[in-house]
Amino acid sequence: MQTVTIAGSEVPAIGLGTWNMGDEPSLQTQEINAIHAGLAAGAKVIDTAEMYGSGRAETLVGKAIKDVPRDQLYLISKVLPTNASKNRMERSLDASLKRLGVDEVDLYLYHWRGQIPLSETVAELQRLTTIGKTKAWGISNFDVTDLEELWQLPDGPKAAANEDLFNLGSRGVEYSLLGWQADHHLPFIAYSPVGAPGQLDTHLGSDPDVLKVAKRHQATAYQILLAWVVSHQQVLAIPQSSNPDLAKENVLAGDIQLTADDRRVLDKAYPAPTEKLPLDVL
Ligand SMILES: NC(=O)c1ccc[n+]([C@@H]2O[C@H](COP(=O)([O-])OP(=O)(O)OC[C@H]3O[C@@H](n4cnc5c(N)ncnc54)[C@H](OP(=O)(O)O)[C@@H]3O)[C@@H](O)[C@H]2O)c1
């Protein structure tokens, strides 16, 4: 299983997303089982946010992890832009910690840029790290120009990761962002790594070329999509599945090694960017 190191913590390169989970009471048992199946298959990272279901995803995660030893988990949560201020952020993080049932998260991300000055947000993220409510902080939906601005701030280079949309059908970040992050030792967290079917009009999971590569590895198309994402250095993927069998299958994709010929097939179907593209967001 490939790994990624974030602020000194080495974690398996495929974790678990939680957006749209925890909303429907009748699905709770199945969703908790999906989180347990992903963890049993070797995942450590769980990605959530105060935004998801207005806290319901964090509450679901809290129920799922209550009997899991804390050192077997790497918990990521995120603060909404409107709460990313000196006056409001700590209250947001305290509420997230309460819902999750833990004393600290491992990584606290600024979910996306809003109106609060970046300097104020970063100072508060750093303060909450210093007082031990999160082990590290980072950002999400930042492009190269945002990161360059961040790096000008006194504590900016203390950011531990940036989380952006990245999958085989959305490769814009490969043009310059991934290289910038590698040069600055900033790990990349890939959201919507299987193309967010259901929310986006993507059909990566039924693409004939992806299926062709999948057949070679006796894998599913979704596993190939994930193996491809995490084949990039210091890239963590956080697929979301509410289905225990699929959650397990997703995590096990971290063991698949794509060959040069697999890459040729995938690159031909989904070419790498040849120019800077606007950052895709969901
Ligand atoms: N930072 C941000 O701004 C941001 C934005 C978006 C997402 N995220 C995070 O990233 C996570 C993942 O992104 P995402 O949820 O947008 O998209 P995604 O993980 O690419 O896609 C999720 C969808 O794919 C389906 N799926 C997953 N694995 C599958 C498999 N093996 N076979 C068939 N279908 C499969 C799921 O359905 P089933 O549940 O039915 O399996 C779900 O509908 C989120 O949950 C969230 O934690 C962060």
Side-chain angles (χ1 to χ4, degrees):
M1 176 84 67
Q2 308 195 47
T3 63
V4 173
T5 301
I6 304 176
S9 297
E10 190 179 11
V11 294
I14 297 183
L16 309 171
T18 63
W19 196 13
N20 298 315
M21 293 172 80
D23 289 338
E24 176 51 56
S26 66
L27 292 178
Q28 181 173 291
T29 303
Q30 183 194 323
E31 291 174 338
I32 289 175
N33 288 342
I35 293 173
H36 287 166
L39 295 175
K44 210 167 168 188
V45 171
I46 301 178
D47 179 272
T48 190
E50 65 171 348
M51 182 198 117
Y52 302 162
S54 302
R56 286 190 295 274
E58 289 178 327
T59 300
L60 180 86
V61 172
K63 287 180 182 163
I65 65 172
K66 72 175 173 17
D67 295 323
V68 180
R70 185 65 182 83
D71 64 359
Q72 287 175 24
L73 298 165
Y74 189 93
L75 300 176
I76 304 175
S77 193
K78 312 185 195 79
V79 62
L80 280 165
T82 44
N83 291 331
S85 64
K86 189 173 184 298
N87 290 334
R88 298 176 69 107
M89 198 190 295
E90 186 166 8
R91 212 178 319 153
S92 270
L93 179 51
D94 284 343
S96 290
L97 294 174
K98 194 164 176 215
R99 288 188 288 263
L100 290 166
V102 296
D103 299 330
E104 64 171 0
V105 288
D106 294 282
L107 184 63
Y108 197 46
L109 302 178
Y110 178 28
H111 206 150
W112 69 90
R113 286 193 78 169
Q115 303 305 314
I116 315 277
L118 189 58
S119 55
E120 179 178 335
T121 297
V122 168
E124 191 58 7
L125 285 165
Q126 182 57 36
R127 190 184 72 80
L128 294 177
T129 306
T130 308
I131 64 170
K133 293 194 177 186
T134 180
K135 279 205 181 74
W137 64 268
I139 59 277
S140 178
N141 296 299
F142 271 45
D143 204 345
V144 173
T145 49
D146 303 300
L147 292 174
E148 280 170 345
E149 188 182 331
L150 177 64
W151 247 243
Q152 297 307 310
L153 298 172
D155 288 324
K158 291 184 179 152
N162 178 35
E163 178 170 314
D164 283 352
L165 191 153
F166 183 37
N167 59 57
L168 183 66
S170 174
R171 299 183 59 172
V173 300
E174 285 176 69
Y175 185 73
S176 54
L177 182 61
L178 285 186
W180 193 100
Q181 293 200 201
D183 290 347
H184 295 79
H185 308 290
L186 182 69
F188 183 97
I189 303 172
Y191 76 70
S192 306
V194 298
Q199 297 202 78
L200 295 174
D201 189 22
T202 53
H203 304 281
L204 297 171
S206 55
D207 181 282
D209 290 299
V210 181
L211 285 165
K212 181 175 160 186
V213 174
K215 202 168 172 199
R216 292 175 181 174
H217 292 271
Q218 293 178 309
T220 68
Y222 287 87
Q223 288 183 305
I224 297 304
L225 295 173
L226 291 168
W228 179 85
V229 169
V230 301
S231 68
H232 298 83
Q233 283 299 305
Q234 289 294 305
V235 173
L236 169 79
I238 44 165
Q240 177 274 327
S241 179
S242 300
N243 176 318
D245 292 335
L246 298 181
K248 175 183 174 184
E249 177 185 301
N250 287 348
V251 174
L252 295 179
D255 292 326
I256 299 172
Q257 296 290 337
L258 298 178
T259 66
D261 196 56
D262 294 335
R263 287 177 183 291
R264 269 192 291 279
V265 172
L266 298 173
D267 282 339
K268 195 162 170 232
Y270 294 93
T274 53
E275 59 182 339
K276 177 76 187 144
L277 301 169
L279 190 66
D280 283 333
V281 293
L282 187 62

